[in-house]
Amino acid sequence: PSQPQDALVVAAGHAAGASTSANAASPTSPLRTTRSAAGYDALPRRLAAEGLADVDSAIDLALEYEDAEVVLHLLSLPEAAIRPFVIQWALRNAACRGDGALVARALALPGADADHGDGTSVGPALVLAAERGHADVCVQLLDHKASISSARVLSCSGRWTASDVAAFRGDE
């Protein structure tokens, strides 16, 4: 019974690959085999609109593949439920990868919160981007009103903000 969702994930992967340019920070996904295919965007929209595939189940599959581009593409379909944990996962994944275009797409979704994860062991997107040295994404998140004082809490070393991480790394 998962074949329609599989088809939707693959179609969304092709559509995401056709609608975005190759990004050096983005690993090649098994869900995207071509980046030049025109008209791929119509198939996922049709599968969702006609009820032939469950969009939220397809999002769950894309989460298993850890493919933020496909997740964000599926979230753009009107049939997708607003699930804050999925939006936050996509934002954190994009921040970790240093992919500013995906960060912007995630922040544009309703319910996206640049400070989500403050005070947790996972931490907010700003801290995750700082840990990986993605200064441009840090600026982007700060421009979107991410709090400079939001932090990741680690039991062995306490509370770390993006500024703490940047100082520790020697970044400016």
Side-chain angles (χ1 to χ4, degrees):
S2 70
Q3 287 178 341
Q5 283 68 248
D6 293 340
L8 181 53
V9 169
V10 172
H14 283 290
S19 66
T20 61
S21 61
N23 184 334
S26 173
T28 303
S29 168
L31 301 179
R32 288 183 298 279
T33 58
T34 182
R35 293 205 176 268
S36 62
Y40 272 117
D41 197 39
L43 183 57
R45 291 194 183 285
R46 180 177 171 205
L47 287 170
E50 293 181 11
L52 300 173
D54 182 307
V55 175
D56 294 325
S57 294
I59 289 171
D60 293 341
L61 286 173
L63 284 169
E64 287 182 36
Y65 283 115
E66 298 184 13
D67 195 321
E69 268 186 83
V70 172
V71 168
L72 287 169
H73 188 78
L74 291 168
L75 284 171
S76 74
L77 298 174
E79 295 80 9
I82 302 299
R83 297 188 292 171
F85 79 92
V86 176
I87 295 168
Q88 295 311 133
W89 176 88
L91 177 58
R92 287 188 182 114
N93 183 285
C96 287
R97 291 170 39 184
D99 190 326
L102 287 183
V103 167
R105 287 175 57 196
L107 287 171
L109 291 170
D113 178 4
D115 288 330
H116 188 272
D118 179 29
T120 67
S121 62
V122 174
L126 180 61
V127 174
L128 297 173
E131 286 176 346
R132 288 154 182 85
H134 301 306
D136 53 335
V137 170
C138 290
V139 169
Q140 184 179 8
L141 289 163
L142 290 168
D143 287 346
H144 199 76
K145 309 293 185 228
S147 172
I148 192 69
S149 63
S150 62
R152 179 178 186 175
V153 178
L154 302 173
S155 60
C156 60
S157 57
R159 185 175 169 86
W160 285 76
T161 66
S163 299
D164 297 330
V165 171
F168 181 77
R169 287 177 43 88
D171 297 333
E172 296 181 15

